[in-house]
Amino acid sequence: LWANRAAAHLELKNFEAAYKDARMSKSLDKAYLKAHYRLAQALYGLGSLFGAKNACIDALEISPTDPTILALFADINKKLA
């Protein structure tokens, strides 16, 4: 539920609300990949590239070959370079 609401907030570019919901989702299930990904997206939207990178790293520990997360991770690293 929390991760889905985070996704809706992301679509509306309401990154602060998305961040809060993604954190709640992650706190309820640390292995839920979408929670980590949506947290990374929210942090990215808020301009917190290092936070977004760390959220991607956490997500990649769960699913190291997920193409969506790898693409976001690459984009973040490109902007940090």
Side-chain angles (χ1 to χ4, degrees):
L1 176 67
W2 293 101
N4 288 341
R5 195 166 83 168
H9 285 303
L10 287 167
E11 286 295 319
L12 297 171
K13 302 206 182 311
N14 188 353
F15 299 117
E16 185 66 37
Y19 168 79
K20 290 176 183 176
D21 285 351
R23 292 228 354 142
M24 178 61 79
S25 180
K26 181 182 165 188
S27 75
L28 295 171
D29 184 355
K30 295 192 184 337
Y32 189 45
L33 183 62
K34 286 183 182 180
H36 292 275
Y37 176 62
R38 292 188 177 135
L39 180 59
Q41 289 178 294
L43 288 164
Y44 184 87
L46 290 168
S48 177
L49 296 180
F50 288 108
K53 181 176 180 175
N54 287 333
C56 282
I57 289 169
D58 290 344
L60 290 169
E61 288 179 9
I62 297 166
S63 181
T65 60
D66 186 286
T68 307
I69 297 167
L70 287 169
L72 179 58
F73 188 63
D75 186 45
I76 293 165
N77 284 327
K78 185 176 166 184
K79 290 189 184 237
L80 287 172

